[in-house]
Structures are given as structure tokens and as C-alpha cells.
Amino acid sequence: MKIIVIGGTGLIGSKAVTKLRNSGFEVVAASRTSGINSMTGRGLADVLAKASVVIDLSNPPTFDGAEALEFFKTSTTNLLEAEAAAGVRHHVALSVVGTERLSESGYMRAKFAQEKLIKDNSIPYSIVHATQFFESIQKLAGLASDGATVHVPPVLVQPIAGDDVASILSNISVGAPLNSTIEVAGPEQFRADELARRRLIARHDPREVVVDRRARFFGAEVDDRSLLPSADARLADTRFEDWLARSLERAYGALRPPGPNTETDYYGVAPTN
């Protein structure tokens, strides 16, 4: 089985590539740096030759709604056409929990359009809706930053470790196509403002987190249900504290990071459930 990972050098893509290779599959990490461009179609025919599965983890360089829509429409159309010509039997795409609820967001409308193209195509597919990643909570905060402060709505989130997302995508990619959408999330819920505050502290980011109920997520107003998965979502195992401890160990090794008496006191955050 030959598997092509579009966006295979990114956060999730690189993890998925490693997991699949370690499991003995032939995997190609396709990206612009390797000469594969889904927006222009350059290199797609060659890289997809004899491929069985494509995992699409591509993303536009900006969250601007118009540019994101153009990117997903063009990129996805090019991919699906090249996959049909190559005889690809499974198209796997990563999307976002809450896409259908956040139509006020131009980026989410673009993701919704991408999903529609996949569903309307004849190639069997699996779409994975994931919650926010532990690794990118600071990016969620940064969307509402004015420099010295970060405005975050105090809504519930249920983030997931990037390794868990990559594992789920990898397992789905080598199985039978679902021809449907599944949701994946972490095992714990948190308030977004508290989690953002802890992540900024962990990164030694001096910005102050300000609770702001009017703050938006990708341009959309959100409430306690907007970013949470449904009751039948697939829950990953990795808890935030465990992920953070491993991240600190990789970052500091045997050195103890500055702060209070324990890493848990300094970096920990209590879940709401």
C-alpha cells in the first residue's frame, strides 16, 4: 500500500508519516518543498502513481476567508482529479470540529466547501473532524491578540494531542473508507482562557490573557457548545498534563524550568470535568 501525505512535513503530517513508515507502509511526504503543489497541480500525477491512499493535510497560508476558499476549492479539485486518474481508492481529509456550526467564519466556510467537494466526488473518503491541538493553543490565543494582551472567550474546549490525531488518521487511512465524518477529541474539557494562559506561560510568552466573551474564533462568535465534539466522538487517551510533561522533558531535558516548586504547579491546568 502506497500512501501519499499532502502536507507531510507539517505538525500532523510529519507525525503521520513517521507512524505509517514505522508500521511498514510505503509513505511519501508530499509538500511544496518536495516539488508537489496541490494548488498548481505540479508533481501530483507523478507522486500519485500507484498510490492507494491520499491523506490531505494541506492548509492555506492565511485564515482569510476568500483566500482560504480559493485555496481549498482549487487544491481539493486538483487532488481529486489527479487521484481519479491514478486510481486512488481512499481520500482522507482532516477538518475541524464545529465546521458546520461556525458558518460566520470565512475559514470555516472554506473548510465546509472542501468537505462538500470530497463528499460529492466518486472516490471513497474519510473525513476526520478534530478539536484544537495542544500544540497550537497559543495560535488560538494569538487570533485575538493586540500585542500586549490576548483576548480569549471563556468557552469550553476539548483539545487533543497532535500525536493522537496522527495515530487516528494513520489507522483510518489503512482501513476501509468510512464514507462519512468522524469526530476526535481529547479526554478532558477546559476553559479556553485558562488553557491559553497556561500555554503562554509554558512558552514564556509575557502577554496577558484577557477574558472576553466577545472574542472570536476564526472570526466567529462562539459559546460553550461551539468548539466541543458530539457525544459519540472518538476520545484519545493523552491527557494535557501528561503531554505537557513530555513536552517539557524534550525541551529542557534534565534541566528544571524556572518557576514555582513543581512543573505541575507552574504549567498545570485543572480540567472542568
Side-chain angles (χ1 to χ4, degrees), residues 163-175:
D163 277 325
D164 288 338
V165 175
S167 294
I168 292 168
L169 283 168
S170 299
N171 291 337
I172 287 174
S173 71
V174 299

Side-chain angles (χ1 to χ4, degrees), residues 36-135:
I36 313 301
N37 191 323
S38 59
M39 272 295 284
T40 64
R42 183 168 67 94
L44 286 180
D46 290 338
V47 78
L48 292 180
K50 299 182 180 179
S52 300
V53 180
V54 169
I55 304 176
D56 183 12
L57 305 176
S58 61
N59 227 352
T62 174
F63 293 124
D64 175 78
E67 292 186 34
L69 181 61
E70 177 63 22
F71 175 88
F72 284 123
K73 281 188 172 180
T74 303
S75 176
T76 304
T77 297
N78 287 340
L79 273 175
L80 293 172
E81 289 179 352
E83 289 172 26
V88 170
R89 301 190 297 272
H90 191 182
H91 181 97
V92 182
L94 178 63
S95 193
V96 186
V97 164
T99 298
E100 68 286 354
R101 296 190 294 270
L102 300 173
S103 59
E104 186 182 7
S105 163
Y107 177 79
M108 292 302 180
R109 289 197 302 272
K111 290 298 290 181
F112 188 83
Q114 177 195 28
E115 294 179 28
K116 188 175 188 304
L117 286 170
I118 295 169
K119 294 174 182 177
D120 290 346
N121 195 269
S122 61
I123 298 174
Y125 70 91
S126 301
I127 297 175
V128 177
H129 276 191
T131 54
Q132 297 73 44
F133 310 144
F134 289 150
E135 293 88 342

Side-chain angles (χ1 to χ4, degrees), residues 149-161:
T149 61
V150 177
H151 292 250
V152 183
V155 298
L156 289 171
V157 292
Q158 196 167 332
I160 185 172

Side-chain angles (χ1 to χ4, degrees), residues 1-267:
M1 180 182 291
K2 180 181 177 182
I3 303 171
I4 310 301
V5 182
I6 305 295
T9 58
L11 170 66
I12 304 300
S14 58
K15 295 176 183 293
V17 167
T18 298
K19 291 176 184 297
L20 287 165
R21 283 178 178 165
N22 288 344
S23 296
F25 294 99
E26 179 185 358
V27 186
V28 177
S31 66
R32 287 190 295 274
T33 57
S34 64
I36 313 301
N37 191 323
S38 59
M39 272 295 284
T40 64
R42 183 168 67 94
L44 286 180
D46 290 338
V47 78
L48 292 180
K50 299 182 180 179
S52 300
V53 180
V54 169
I55 304 176
D56 183 12
L57 305 176
S58 61
N59 227 352
T62 174
F63 293 124
D64 175 78
E67 292 186 34
L69 181 61
E70 177 63 22
F71 175 88
F72 284 123
K73 281 188 172 180
T74 303
S75 176
T76 304
T77 297
N78 287 340
L79 273 175
L80 293 172
E81 289 179 352
E83 289 172 26
V88 170
R89 301 190 297 272
H90 191 182
H91 181 97
V92 182
L94 178 63
S95 193
V96 186
V97 164
T99 298
E100 68 286 354
R101 296 190 294 270
L102 300 173
S103 59
E104 186 182 7
S105 163
Y107 177 79
M108 292 302 180
R109 289 197 302 272
K111 290 298 290 181
F112 188 83
Q114 177 195 28
E115 294 179 28
K116 188 175 188 304
L117 286 170
I118 295 169
K119 294 174 182 177
D120 290 346
N121 195 269
S122 61
I123 298 174
Y125 70 91
S126 301
I127 297 175
V128 177
H129 276 191
T131 54
Q132 297 73 44
F133 310 144
F134 289 150
E135 293 88 342
S136 58
I137 290 297
Q138 73 277 5
K139 292 182 181 179
L140 166 63
L143 293 175
S145 175
D146 62 7
T149 61
V150 177
H151 292 250
V152 183
V155 298
L156 289 171
V157 292
Q158 196 167 332
I160 185 172
D163 277 325
D164 288 338
V165 175
S167 294
I168 292 168
L169 283 168
S170 299
N171 291 337
I172 287 174
S173 71
V174 299
L178 303 174
N179 290 317
S180 64
T181 301
I182 69 164
E183 292 185 335
V184 299
E188 307 164 288
Q189 292 181 4
F190 305 88
R191 290 290 172 185
D193 58 299
E194 179 63 12
L195 195 60
R197 185 176 295 108
R198 296 294 184 176
R199 284 293 286 128
L200 292 178
I201 290 173
R203 293 172 63 86
H204 305 293
D205 189 319
R207 289 179 295 172
E208 176 189 1
V209 172
V210 175
V211 174
D212 185 350
R213 296 188 179 277
R214 297 172 298 174
R216 292 171 172 252
F217 177 75
F218 287 106
E221 290 186 1
V222 290
D223 57 30
D224 268 355
R225 283 300 315 159
S226 299
L227 305 179
L228 292 181
S230 60
D232 59 353
R234 184 180 301 185
L235 301 185
D237 294 329
T238 305
R239 301 173 70 86
F240 178 73
E241 295 263 354
D242 297 332
W243 170 83
L244 192 54
R246 289 197 296 268
S247 298
L248 290 171
E249 185 177 355
R250 287 194 296 268
Y252 293 100
L255 297 176
R256 188 183 190 84
N261 292 331
T262 69
E263 285 93 337
T264 298
D265 288 340
Y266 189 68
Y267 297 108

